[in-house]
Amino acid sequence: MAEAKDLIVRPTVPKAGLEKFLSKLKNVSILNVDPKNVSGKKFQTIFESQDADMIICKTFDQMKSAKQTGKPFGYFKKVLGNADVNEIEKASQAGASFVIVDTSDWKIIPLENIIARLHKSRTKVYAMASGAKELSTMFSVLELGVDGVILSTDSKDEVEKAGRQLSTVKFPIRVAKITEVKDVGTGERVCVDTASMMGMGEGMLVGSRSNFMLLVHNESVGSSFTSPRPFRVNAGAVYCYTITPDGNTRYLSEVESGTEVWIVNKEGQSRKAVVGRSKIETRPLLLIRAEIEGETGTVILQNAETIRLIKPDGKLLSVTEVTAGDQVLGFAKPATGRHFGMEVPDEYIVEK
């Protein structure tokens, strides 16, 4: 599992408004700010001062001095060419805990070069950003991504958007016992083709209720009649729910090019994927009813051999072979209301 990324906020508000701005921040623990301005606050600081918790250096002599403090120290460099990339590598070799890379012009290629050189070291790579939109790219460069971002902003909303870019979810995957399998005729189902490759044990959570879903496997396993399509989940009927990274649910009929979805593995670990295409087509359908720790729910899937659920031992089970009594993996929690996909915790609701 990938290590958590660091979101470091560099406030650009006037000093007089700093305390009010900081009081609005949630889930932020590191600030790029003079430690004198946040003395007594809950935040760690990263700054060009030996009073900071993490010391930023701009010369190798400063690094030697910072090393004597026993604190984590790093190296800041504005990258204009390969010579700067070489200098950053030397800083890593000299013991820098982190490097801060300012790539204000060319962003992707320099970061790729730096990550490629430092990914086996213990040096973290931090990039400068002026908005949350930049983060998704920075966190995916060479698949590894940077270790953190220093976000310059005066907006609480930008910080929250940036936080969502870092977020991941571990779903409590449980054993679901199949109680009924029934042909329900034809209807429209949705194939979700993502811009990411999926492996064994990965798929999407899909169900008739927002609090009860089964883990539908991707199509990375081919057959004598079909080629593997490891970017695809044949997800289910158009009305079915899936959970999206913004914390809401979406009907599968709403999923389209550009939508973000969760890819979930059999341990419940998730990662984001962007949808490249969704296909709605008329196909024969199968209703599967299951029970998880007292919660009951259903899902309607295409009735075809290539649609598979995951058994507790990790083996795949085609929906054409599912029978009452079988056990598969799913997700369930106590029911809550939803309003346009957003959770409403205290609303009474019954879904059947």
Side-chain angles (χ1 to χ4, degrees), residues 97-204:
S97 301
F98 59 88
V99 293
I100 298 174
V101 183
D102 185 356
T103 55
S104 55
D105 297 320
W106 281 60
K107 292 184 181 293
I108 307 304
I109 300 300
L111 283 176
E112 286 183 343
N113 293 342
I114 292 164
I115 291 169
R117 293 197 193 187
L118 300 190
H119 79 278
K120 291 185 178 180
S121 74
R122 295 184 178 180
T123 304
K124 289 188 173 184
V125 178
Y126 292 152
M128 305 290 290
S130 57
K133 289 183 179 180
E134 299 178 45
L135 270 64
S136 60
T137 300
M138 291 179 175
F139 286 135
S140 59
V141 172
L142 287 187
E143 294 189 25
L144 301 170
V146 297
D147 297 291
V149 165
I150 298 178
L151 176 66
S152 298
T153 185
D154 60 0
S155 167
K156 173 183 71 72
D157 292 341
E158 279 294 294
V159 175
E160 290 177 353
K161 289 177 185 176
R164 287 195 290 271
Q165 292 288 343
L166 275 71
S167 67
T168 186
V169 171
K170 180 142 190 227
F171 290 92
I173 298 299
R174 302 282 187 264
V175 174
K177 182 179 179 180
I178 306 298
T179 59
E180 182 185 10
V181 181
K182 183 170 69 172
D183 287 313
V184 290
T186 59
E188 280 67 59
R189 66 91 177 102
V190 184
C191 267
V192 179
D193 290 350
T194 72
S196 299
M197 300 292 275
M198 288 173 265
M200 285 294 294
E202 290 189 308
M204 288 173 59

Side-chain angles (χ1 to χ4, degrees), residues 67-352:
K67 192 172 185 178
Q68 303 304 313
T69 68
K71 295 180 177 180
F73 63 91
Y75 194 69
F76 173 89
K77 189 67 181 177
K78 186 175 178 65
V79 176
L80 301 175
N82 283 330
D84 301 317
V85 175
N86 294 336
E87 191 173 317
I88 286 171
E89 185 175 22
K90 289 178 182 177
S92 172
Q93 294 167 349
S97 301
F98 59 88
V99 293
I100 298 174
V101 183
D102 185 356
T103 55
S104 55
D105 297 320
W106 281 60
K107 292 184 181 293
I108 307 304
I109 300 300
L111 283 176
E112 286 183 343
N113 293 342
I114 292 164
I115 291 169
R117 293 197 193 187
L118 300 190
H119 79 278
K120 291 185 178 180
S121 74
R122 295 184 178 180
T123 304
K124 289 188 173 184
V125 178
Y126 292 152
M128 305 290 290
S130 57
K133 289 183 179 180
E134 299 178 45
L135 270 64
S136 60
T137 300
M138 291 179 175
F139 286 135
S140 59
V141 172
L142 287 187
E143 294 189 25
L144 301 170
V146 297
D147 297 291
V149 165
I150 298 178
L151 176 66
S152 298
T153 185
D154 60 0
S155 167
K156 173 183 71 72
D157 292 341
E158 279 294 294
V159 175
E160 290 177 353
K161 289 177 185 176
R164 287 195 290 271
Q165 292 288 343
L166 275 71
S167 67
T168 186
V169 171
K170 180 142 190 227
F171 290 92
I173 298 299
R174 302 282 187 264
V175 174
K177 182 179 179 180
I178 306 298
T179 59
E180 182 185 10
V181 181
K182 183 170 69 172
D183 287 313
V184 290
T186 59
E188 280 67 59
R189 66 91 177 102
V190 184
C191 267
V192 179
D193 290 350
T194 72
S196 299
M197 300 292 275
M198 288 173 265
M200 285 294 294
E202 290 189 308
M204 288 173 59
L205 289 168
V206 180
S208 302
R209 294 167 53 191
S210 59
N211 70 314
F212 190 105
M213 301 183 182
L214 298 184
L215 185 54
V216 181
H217 200 264
N218 73 84
E219 294 194 0
S220 56
V221 178
S223 71
S224 56
F225 297 100
T226 60
S227 299
R229 294 180 176 88
F231 53 82
R232 171 175 294 175
V233 178
N234 190 327
V238 285
Y239 78 93
C240 286
Y241 285 126
T242 191
I243 302 174
T244 50
D246 58 8
N248 298 331
T249 55
R250 289 280 190 100
Y251 296 115
L252 291 180
S253 62
E254 297 176 325
V255 172
E256 61 185 5
S257 183
T259 301
E260 279 192 326
V261 295
W262 282 127
I263 299 302
V264 182
N265 70 11
K266 58 188 177 65
E267 284 81 33
Q269 295 168 348
S270 63
R271 59 188 176 94
K272 297 174 186 175
V274 66
V275 175
R277 167 183 58 235
S278 69
K279 296 197 306 175
I280 300 176
E281 297 166 310
T282 301
R283 293 291 187 268
L285 301 177
L286 196 67
L287 180 143
I288 297 175
R289 191 182 306 275
E291 183 268 332
I292 300 176
E293 297 178 357
E295 290 284 344
T296 300
T298 63
V299 64
I300 293 181
L301 303 172
Q302 180 181 341
N303 188 357
E305 291 83 356
T306 52
I307 294 86
R308 298 175 174 94
L309 303 174
I310 306 175
K311 297 167 70 172
D313 62 3
K315 294 181 180 178
L316 304 184
L317 178 63
S318 172
V319 297
T320 58
E321 299 175 356
V322 173
T323 59
D326 284 338
Q327 293 185 333
V328 296
L329 297 180
F331 155 79
K333 66 175 186 174
T336 58
R338 291 268 170 177
H339 179 68
F340 291 107
M342 296 178 289
E343 191 169 30
V344 185
D346 297 326
E347 183 181 40
Y348 173 76
I349 184 171
V350 175
E351 293 179 287
K352 297 182 179 181

